[in-house]
Each structure stands twice: as C-alpha cells, then as structure tokens.
Amino acid sequence: MNRQNLFKMLIDKAAGISKGDGDNEFKLNAICGLLKNNLPGYDWVGFYLVDKNNDRELVLGPYAGDPTDHVRIPFGRGICGQAAETEETFIIDDVTAENNYLACSINVKSEIVIPIFRNNRIIGELDIDSHKKSAFTDQDEQFLKKIGKIAADLI
Ligand code: SME
C-alpha cells in the first residue's frame, strides 16, 4: 500500500477508535499505538496536553514508545514548547542542529509537532520522534493535522 492510501486507512481507523468503546485516555493511547505500529519511522508517538491549571505549560499525555523525562514542558521550551507558543507546526529534519531542543533519547534524529485546537484555542499537541533524519514531510503534516482533529474531541 502506498503511503497516501496508508494515511487514508489510518484516518478511518483513528475515527473508528474515537467513536468506539473505552474512555478518552484509552482511545488516545490506541491512536498512538496505531501510528507507531503502522508507519515506519514513527518511533515515538505521543500527546502533550495543555495543563488545565496552567495554560502556559504542557503535560505529557498518552504515548507509545520509550518513557521520557519530559513530563512537563513550559511554553517556549524545546520544539514542543515552541510549537505551543507559536501555535505552528514544527518539522525538524535534524534535531542536532537545534539550539532549543529537549532530547528524549540519543536515537532521535528528527521530529514533527502538530498543535491541536478546540474553538481556536490550543489544547494540546501531537509529537512524533524518528530515529531517521528528515523522516517527516508536508504529507505527514497534512495527515497528522487530520489525526489531531480526531484527537481534539478526546482531549
Ligand atoms: N523533543 C521534544 C521533547 C519531547 S520528547 O521528544 C518526547 C522537544 O524538544 O520539545
């Protein structure tokens, strides 16, 4: 299956998870696993959620992959914090070239972060790390924005 068809299938599956059984945390976890298990190069897939008690800080939500030390990230810090601050997607081809980057693992070489919105306010992010350089393209961005919209109903 080519990547575009795979993306379409995964969007349908994520929508099915969203409408299916289980609580929201279970469903977000299942979406992380769906992406990590089906897309080569998606080596860590997780959600960061805007803290309900501090809207300038992200807290780690459901994820699939190795545990990370970065459980709380202030807006502005690292790639995730910059994406939260600017409300823009960040695609980083080579994380070693970044000054404002929080390393989760020495194996990570590239990263994409997609902000997630509800009623035009940022409520969280989808963060993917890859062990390959330049793993993410505009097509990944378009795909992940659709996944982000599905996830928004679960945050
Ligand atoms: N690399 C991220 C931190 C989160 S971990 O990758 C899971 C950053 O620079 O914000």
Side-chain angles (χ1 to χ4, degrees):
M1 195 186 295
N2 71 33
R3 209 158 163 95
Q4 278 310 324
N5 287 339
L6 185 55
F7 283 156
K8 277 195 196 123
M9 183 200 83
L10 293 173
I11 288 161
D12 287 346
K13 286 207 169 175
I17 290 169
S18 156
K19 292 186 201 114
D21 292 335
D23 63 17
N24 287 347
E25 191 179 343
F26 171 86
K27 292 176 184 179
L28 290 171
N29 248 311
I31 290 172
C32 292
L34 179 73
L35 301 191
K36 182 175 185 299
N37 296 335
N38 287 285
L39 289 164
Y42 282 40
D43 295 306
W44 189 95
V45 178
F47 290 97
Y48 279 94
L49 310 177
V50 176
D51 187 350
K52 294 207 163 58
N53 301 311
N54 175 359
D55 67 5
R56 299 280 304 159
E57 200 152 273
L58 298 162
V59 285
L60 181 63
Y63 66 92
D66 292 337
T68 170
D69 288 341
H70 303 296
V71 175
R72 300 189 76 87
I73 302 178
F75 277 36
R77 282 210 61 205
I79 309 303
C80 291
Q82 293 177 78
E85 181 99 282
T86 59
E87 303 190 346
E88 300 283 350
T89 295
F90 274 62
I91 296 179
I92 307 297
D93 288 333
D94 175 5
V95 296
T96 63
E98 295 297 309
N99 296 322
N100 190 358
Y101 169 70
L102 301 169
C104 274
S105 138
I106 52 159
N107 297 322
V108 174
K109 303 226 168 37
S110 62
E111 177 164 8
I112 184 168
V113 182
I114 305 274
I116 299 173
F117 302 95
R118 183 162 53 234
N119 300 331
N120 295 320
R121 290 188 66 122
I122 185 164
I123 54 170
E125 297 179 344
L126 183 50
D127 177 20
I128 326 272
D129 288 343
S130 181
H131 297 170
K132 269 192 340 195
K133 266 193 193 172
S134 305
F136 305 107
T137 66
D138 293 348
Q139 292 182 344
D140 292 270
E141 177 178 356
Q142 296 316 315
F143 162 66
L144 292 169
K145 282 184 169 164
K146 290 178 187 150
I147 296 288
K149 287 212 169 95
I150 294 168
D153 293 336
L154 306 171
I155 292 174

